[in-house]
Amino acid sequence: MKTRTIDSSGIQISELGFGAAGIGNLYRPIDNAHALEAVHEAWRQGVRYFDTAPHYGAGLSERRLGLALQELPREEQLLSTKVGRMLEPLASNAPVDGEGFAQAAPFIRRYDYSYDGVMRSFEDSLQRLGVGRIDILLMHDIGRLTHGDAHDEIFRTAMESGFKAMTELRDQGLVKAIGLGVNEWQVCDEAMNHTDFDCFMVANCFTLLENGITERFTDRCRRERVSLIVAAPFNSGVLAKGSSGSGHYFYGDTPADVIERVKGLEAVCREYAVPLPAAAVQFPLRHDCVKSVVIGMTDDARIRQNIDWYAHPIPTEFWHTLTDKGFIRPGREA
């Protein structure tokens, strides 16, 4: 598999990344053996970048990923996790709120973007993963989409306090690169006015359905040598499953107007004999500031299918047609 370089740090990253929310039981439970095999199959297929977070299964994803990666050469791995949520044990007999994760571990998630919270979260993640360092550390889910009216106060804390902790960890060599992991690129744009990041992971907002990010923000990233990692290229599922309506959109049900846009994309795909999921995977990688696309991978067949979509030949004329029809915006590409 091809690799690209995180510009500011020199880190080599595989063009496809393993999104470990699925092995934290996102939407449905899987067992430990199934989770470990998924990591190992991705490795056999050439994937070397693995992303997780304390949020995923309330620590379950980090524990499972750490166990699986212990059996693989550490020097070949690229590992990222996130800070911004603390995990606290549930009171005895209290119900578990999985927040979309089935059979999550018995912890309460509490937002904490302070200096002390970031340091504590980082140390806890090292323990769950069983490692002594993290390659990429991302501040998770700041932004108005997540926090609404509380955004301004939370953003200030994150930039003035939490980011200071992340910078110290980078300076100490405990992490190689720092950034944000968010569902809205606009907060990355806002953060660049305050701080010095290496990369951003943007989920659900660099896709065939949501690509306003390419109007100007990708140009800013190029100018300031900030790399992008694109997660959720299927917009949580609809671009993988198509217009049947069975796929999620932004982690929820797919609205009717989105289904109609997917049908339009499918028509262009049929014209050029291009699978819609292949186009969804490859679209972000056409931009040189994008270094990797992170996809959920939970079983061998799905992993191999992802690799096939990544490698599927797509003619240049296909992308021109999508631009002409207004599905994607013109932009400087790789």
Side-chain angles (χ1 to χ4, degrees), residues 155-190:
F155 183 81
R156 184 165 50 252
T157 299
M159 295 299 102
E160 295 177 357
S161 185
F163 175 73
K164 180 181 178 182
M166 296 174 73
T167 301
E168 288 184 10
L169 291 169
R170 182 177 60 184
D171 291 345
Q172 294 166 11
L174 294 171
V175 302
K176 296 179 181 178
I178 58 176
L180 305 181
V182 294
N183 285 286
E184 50 189 306
W185 63 266
Q186 293 86 349
V187 75
C188 301
D189 195 26
E190 185 180 1

Side-chain angles (χ1 to χ4, degrees), residues 44-83:
R44 288 191 289 268
Q45 296 295 329
V47 175
R48 293 295 182 267
Y49 172 45
F50 299 84
D51 173 70
T52 184
H55 175 50
Y56 303 157
L60 179 62
S61 172
E62 286 186 319
R63 296 202 313 272
R64 285 173 163 174
L65 181 61
L67 285 171
L69 291 178
Q70 283 180 10
E71 301 178 14
L72 301 170
R74 179 66 180 100
E75 65 277 6
E76 296 181 32
Q77 303 168 19
L78 190 69
L79 177 62
S80 65
T81 193
K82 305 180 182 76
V83 293

Side-chain angles (χ1 to χ4, degrees), residues 186-261:
Q186 293 86 349
V187 75
C188 301
D189 195 26
E190 185 180 1
M192 287 174 74
N193 296 328
H194 298 268
T195 57
D196 176 25
F197 290 104
D198 299 294
C199 59
F200 297 123
M201 177 178 285
V202 289
N204 282 303
C205 59
F206 202 136
T207 75
L208 294 173
L209 292 170
E210 303 288 340
N211 49 79
I213 191 171
T214 65
E215 289 183 341
R216 62 175 181 84
F217 185 63
T218 48
D219 285 337
R220 183 179 186 185
C221 289
R222 291 186 189 94
R223 289 195 306 271
E224 301 187 26
R225 299 184 71 242
V226 175
S227 298
L228 295 178
I229 299 167
V230 173
F234 304 134
N235 272 125
S236 301
V238 65
L239 289 172
K241 296 188 176 181
S243 60
S244 65
S246 59
H248 292 86
Y249 175 74
F250 270 95
Y251 311 110
D253 294 335
T254 306
D257 64 317
V258 173
I259 292 293
E260 290 304 309
R261 288 163 60 200

Side-chain angles (χ1 to χ4, degrees), residues 103 105 117 128-129 141 267 275 279 323:
Q103 299 177 13
R128 285 188 292 267
L129 287 161
D141 285 345
T323 302

